[in-house]
Amino acid sequence: MTVCPPSPVALRLDTPRQISARLRLREFSWHDADDLVRMHQDPRVRAQLVDDAPLDNAQAVHRFINSLHAFYRQHEGTGIWCAERAVPPDASTVLEARQAHAQGDIGDAWLALVEAPQWRFCGWFSLVHLDDAPHELEIGARLTADAWGGALAIEGGEWLLHQAFAGLGRYQVHGHCSTSNRSAAHCLRVLGFGAAGVAAYNGIQAARFTIAQGHWARWSTLPRRERQRAVLRPFAEDRQPPATASPPASHGG
């Protein structure tokens, strides 16, 4: 799946930008507050977080969105952006619309509207400066549980790295996750990150990963499946049973 790289300048996402066939990003607005609260009230999501920001209540979320509105204009090209995933239309509805279109009952515009996916809130993607190293950038993702397991984190992460390296001219980018979050660590490795130990992060110890621009330039040219296989290969080799030893030679008597 092709991910569209950003322009080599600081971008604005005040209108939705589709970055792949099923993912688009935009700046947060006030009507996203209820979705943010619901996401942070989900214990499955909270269990994966490396911070405990109280975004499970409306007052905290409104303060959060208000701070983002100022951040977007002060730090163009970086931010925490609302993520929306494409939900395909109902198959039976599409079939009926196509039949009606073939019979001349509806026009092209109406058919296109029926066939178009709906865009549904699925969390956020971020490209922000590190608190302990303000000159360094990190990428991040926080997705609703129903968006897990479908490679959306990798699609969004690819675009964030394009933005950091091609758009903002960075030479290095970081990523963090809980030391127990194996899924997040796997996504970072598929993106090309290498483990960089454990570091203090939002008051806890988190796994830190780092990727350099030169490595990304080479790694990103590989098909995604090849990158996934390369990441999984060492684990598969570790699980291989040891080779069976040759039986000792028998002694004649």
Side-chain angles (χ1 to χ4, degrees):
M1 186 174 295
T2 301
V3 176
C4 303
S7 302
V9 293
L11 83 167
R12 292 175 65 124
L13 294 178
D14 46 351
T15 58
R17 175 171 297 211
Q18 189 168 339
I19 66 171
S20 75
R22 57 180 185 163
L23 181 64
R24 71 182 188 182
L25 301 180
R26 58 172 173 79
E27 295 177 3
F28 274 101
S29 64
W30 300 116
H31 70 259
D32 299 311
D34 289 344
D35 287 323
L36 278 170
V37 170
R38 279 192 293 269
M39 180 172 73
H40 288 90
Q41 288 177 341
D42 188 334
R44 295 169 296 177
V45 173
R46 293 192 65 84
Q48 306 299 326
L49 302 184
V50 288
D51 65 59
D52 197 27
L55 297 180
D56 55 346
N57 72 78
Q59 288 185 338
V61 163
H62 278 84
R63 288 194 298 269
F64 173 74
I65 294 175
N66 189 54
S67 68
L68 284 180
H69 287 170
F71 186 93
Y72 292 137
R73 303 289 77 83
Q74 293 171 8
H75 305 280
E76 296 283 358
T78 62
I80 301 174
W81 297 294
C82 180
E84 296 174 320
R85 64 186 177 98
V87 178
D90 177 70
S92 61
T93 301
V94 171
L95 179 60
E96 291 177 4
R98 288 175 178 171
Q99 291 172 343
H101 181 265
Q103 296 168 1
D105 295 333
I106 62 174
D108 294 344
W110 184 258
L111 177 63
L113 184 63
V114 173
E115 291 180 330
Q118 293 183 343
W119 291 94
R120 182 177 300 169
F121 173 86
C122 66
W124 76 47
F125 285 90
S126 62
L127 179 65
V128 295
H129 294 84
L130 285 173
D131 286 340
D132 60 347
H135 57 289
E136 298 280 355
L137 289 179
E138 67 165 335
I139 70 168
R142 186 170 298 185
L143 299 179
T144 57
D146 60 359
W148 294 355
L152 285 179
I154 295 175
E155 290 179 24
E158 289 173 346
W159 187 86
L160 291 172
L161 289 175
H162 276 299
Q163 168 63 8
F165 292 133
L168 299 177
R170 297 297 176 135
Y171 295 100
Q172 178 176 261
V173 176
H174 303 282
H176 296 83
C177 66
S178 167
T179 55
S180 62
N181 193 336
R182 297 168 61 183
S183 295
H186 174 74
C187 287
L188 288 168
R189 290 190 177 98
V190 172
L191 289 169
F193 284 81
V198 176
Y201 187 80
N202 291 324
I204 67 168
Q205 293 294 299
R208 172 170 286 185
F209 294 80
T210 302
I211 184 171
Q213 190 277 337
H215 177 64
W216 168 248
R218 297 185 298 272
W219 183 255
S220 62
T221 63
L222 300 175
R224 188 180 299 163
R225 284 189 177 182
E226 187 172 336
R227 286 182 272 150
Q228 291 172 327
R229 286 195 295 266
V231 169
L232 292 172
R233 192 174 298 126
F235 298 96
E237 291 172 352
D238 289 343
R239 294 179 180 178
Q240 289 294 321
T244 304
S246 300
S250 59
H251 296 280

